[in-house]
Amino acid sequence: MRECAKSKTVRFLLVVLIWFFATAAAVLVQAQPRTDSRAKGNAARPAQTNASDYVGVDTCKTCHPAEYDAYMKTSMGQTATDESLPVSQRGCEGCHGAGAAHVQDPVGHPEFNFKTASPSEKAARCLSCHVKDHDRSHFKSTEHSLMGVSCDECHDPHMILAEPGQRVEPALAQSKFFDVPSKGEQNRWLNDHLLKKRQPDLCFGCHKSIQASFALPTHHRVPEGFMKCTDCHNPHGNENRALLKNASWEACVGCHTEKRGPWVFEHPSVRVEGCVACHNPHGSINRNLLIRGEARFLCLQCHVEFASGPEAANVPHGHVGYQTSGDCVRCHVAIHGSNSSDFFLY
């Protein structure tokens, strides 16, 4: 009886082990990303690279001459004659897929159409080449991607103008005062990452509230054309908030070098929230892009102990003291950081 009970225990343990490993294997299989073409839809590149399935750009231009002429002017057009690349990554077929079947039956075998494909499919098709660029490696996790903004909403690999060399007037009034006539919109497109419009007009197409901020009296000179949105932001994504090129205050001190430091005594708010704790970088009705009209009220947002009166501990003066006739920075002049005073007095 004892041996029978032992054998039953062994069999039970074996069944439990088999169930455990089978469950773990099933979980691992489900966790693995799908790599077949069905997982990516028609955005996936074909697994086979039979040279006979590809016809080359010379065949494509017979039906699409305008797109061909514009495309061949771009850096992407150089792939059409780059024999070091596989045929599946050359020219028009590098984006739209093999064209032999499409040439034989255009209706029955349509090419990959960026106008009808989903944003994720279009992004997958573009990132199959551009993922090598670190600035674009986080695109799938950005707000742009999650909101369904696709690559071709900002970029156009074969921009066609109504007239060759046609120049599109800037939409913003501020930019007209500082605009220098260029050699044409097509040159602008070729030298500006194939953007459909120049910045910031392109960005303002979606970010209307930001456009309103730049219309305020004090603003960074983006509408005038002296700065671009991409000077501060990376629209293709990164790990920083608001898609900033650099984290927090580092995005600002790239231009405002006198505020960089390092300081012996640093303003803690800069390290925690960054410059936006006090400034609105897009625009403000207040001087120095401050988020409050009176600077002393801005300081009291954090230094609430000074609003309780001069009798509070470690408070040299209250809100009813002499600072009512001026701002806190009248005395605390080194408010961004100091090497001499822990109260930022000098």
Side-chain angles (χ1 to χ4, degrees):
M1 293 293 293
R2 185 175 300 174
E3 292 181 357
C4 182
K6 183 184 293 185
S7 63
K8 289 182 179 180
T9 303
V10 171
R11 286 198 299 269
F12 175 77
L13 291 175
L14 288 175
V15 170
V16 170
L17 287 174
I18 293 173
W19 174 84
F20 174 81
F21 285 113
T23 304
V27 171
L28 288 174
V29 169
Q30 292 179 358
Q32 293 296 322
R34 297 183 62 181
T35 57
D36 59 302
S37 59
R38 292 174 297 174
K40 297 181 181 179
N42 61 352
R45 292 193 181 276
Q48 53 81 27
T49 56
N50 189 351
S52 62
D53 293 334
Y54 296 86
V55 296
V57 294
D58 291 335
T59 302
C60 298
K61 73 177 180 180
T62 57
C63 295
H64 309 281
E67 288 82 357
Y68 168 83
D69 290 339
Y71 176 76
M72 293 304 291
K73 295 177 181 178
T74 68
S75 58
M76 294 173 61
Q78 298 175 5
T79 63
T81 56
D82 189 352
E83 296 183 356
S84 64
L85 295 174
V87 292
S88 61
Q89 296 181 16
R90 297 182 194 171
C92 310
E93 293 166 302
C95 298
H96 296 282
H102 177 67
V103 171
Q104 297 295 327
D105 184 8
V107 178
H109 296 86
E111 293 284 89
F112 180 83
N113 192 336
F114 282 83
K115 294 182 179 179
T116 58
S118 68
S120 60
E121 290 173 338
K122 289 184 281 191
R125 186 60 65 107
C126 296
L127 290 174
S128 62
C129 291
H130 292 289
V131 74
K132 299 176 184 178
D133 189 342
H134 177 72
D135 289 340
R136 297 173 177 84
S137 58
H138 294 85
F139 178 74
K140 291 184 178 180
S141 61
T142 64
E143 292 89 340
H144 284 150
S145 177
L146 297 176
M147 294 300 293
V149 178
S150 58
C151 307
D152 64 329
E153 292 191 35
C154 299
H155 304 274
D156 190 346
H158 31 64
M159 186 173 182
I160 303 173
L161 301 173
E163 298 178 5
Q166 176 184 359
R167 179 172 179 273
V168 178
E169 290 295 331
L172 296 175
Q174 296 101 314
S175 61
K176 292 185 179 181
F177 293 106
F178 301 94
D179 186 44
V180 177
S182 64
K183 295 182 180 179
E185 176 66 6
Q186 190 174 84
N187 282 357
R188 194 277 315 160
W189 164 68
L190 289 172
N191 296 315
D192 196 16
H193 305 286
L194 306 184
L195 291 177
K196 288 184 174 181
K197 295 181 180 180
R198 62 192 236 167
Q199 299 183 57
D201 296 342
L202 180 65
C203 304
F204 287 166
C206 295
H207 301 281
K208 296 296 185 181
S209 60
I210 304 301
Q211 181 180 10
S213 296
F214 278 115
L216 296 176
T218 308
H219 59 262
H220 276 115
R221 304 182 78 178
V222 173
E224 290 82 359
F226 289 95
M227 293 178 62
K228 297 185 296 184
C229 304
T230 52
D231 289 340
C232 300
H233 303 276
N234 178 3
H236 300 108
N238 51 35
E239 297 177 353
N240 302 324
R241 63 174 180 176
L243 300 180
L244 290 172
K245 280 190 170 182
N246 296 300
S248 190
W249 57 277
E250 286 286 351
C252 302
V253 296
C255 293
H256 302 279
T257 54
E258 74 281 3
K259 307 297 191 300
R260 174 182 290 276
W263 311 107
V264 175
F265 304 104
E266 295 181 328
H267 206 151
S269 62
V270 177
R271 288 294 182 180
V272 178
E273 289 190 67
C275 305
V276 294
C278 299
H279 304 276
N280 186 340
H282 296 119
S284 173
I285 61 174
N286 307 315
R287 60 187 178 89
N288 299 327
L289 296 174
L290 293 175
I291 60 177
R292 288 258 184 183
E294 291 194 51
R296 57 196 176 93
F297 291 155
L298 176 62
C299 300
L300 290 174
Q301 289 183 154
C302 296
H303 301 280
V304 293
E305 69 275 11
F306 288 93
S308 60
E311 67 279 357
N314 299 321
V315 178
H317 49 76
H319 69 289
V320 296
Y322 60 84
Q323 78 276 13
T324 55
S325 60
D327 294 330
C328 303
V329 292
R330 189 176 73 170
C331 296
H332 305 279
V333 292
I335 199 62
H336 295 100
S338 173
N339 291 325
S340 306
S341 171
D342 55 345
F343 291 109
F344 309 114
L345 297 176
Y346 42 83

